[in-house]
Amino acid sequence: MKKILILIFLASIPILYLCAHNRSFRMTRQITDLEEEKKLLGEQLEQLRIEAAKAYSYSTIETKAIALGLTFTPTDSSNRLSENLTSMANKNLSKKK
């Protein structure tokens, strides 16, 4: 009985080695595939960043706004002046009271 157990143990060593080797080989191949996927995703991310920078540039936004019929109305400098004068007049009135 003892000889049979020793024989089974010795026979199982190469089988276990082959199983471990097969698993190691599959995992190495999986790591290589994942590294390749990471590289491709990094390149795709860089391309998307470039496209986003182009899309958010002032000239692109301006052309889209013009195409939509939007216009930029500059603030009237006389409005600023009158606002300042009004606020100064209000301050003077509050000081007199």
Side-chain angles (χ1 to χ4, degrees):
M1 180 74 172
K2 191 175 183 181
K3 290 182 182 181
I4 294 174
L5 289 175
I6 292 173
L7 185 62
I8 291 173
F9 175 74
L10 291 176
S12 67
I13 291 175
I15 293 171
L16 292 173
Y17 171 77
L18 290 175
C19 290
H21 180 70
N22 183 29
R23 182 168 172 87
S24 172
F25 181 74
R26 284 188 288 133
M27 292 180 82
T28 303
R29 188 172 41 192
Q30 186 178 11
I31 289 171
T32 305
D33 292 342
L34 290 173
E35 286 175 348
E36 182 67 26
E37 183 179 356
K38 179 182 174 184
K39 179 184 170 189
L40 292 174
L41 288 173
E43 291 172 359
Q44 184 180 8
L45 177 64
E46 189 61 31
Q47 290 174 353
L48 291 174
R49 283 185 179 161
I50 291 169
E51 288 180 26
K54 288 179 185 177
Y56 289 118
S57 69
Y58 180 77
S59 59
T60 305
I61 292 173
E62 184 181 27
T63 55
K64 288 180 183 179
I66 291 170
L68 291 172
L70 302 173
T71 58
F72 174 75
T73 56
T75 57
D76 189 13
S77 61
S78 63
N79 287 345
R80 285 190 201 159
L81 182 59
S82 64
E83 288 173 8
N84 288 337
L85 291 175
T86 306
S87 63
M88 289 174 68
N90 289 336
K91 285 181 186 177
N92 288 338
L93 286 175
S94 64
K95 286 182 183 178
K96 289 181 182 178
K97 290 182 182 180

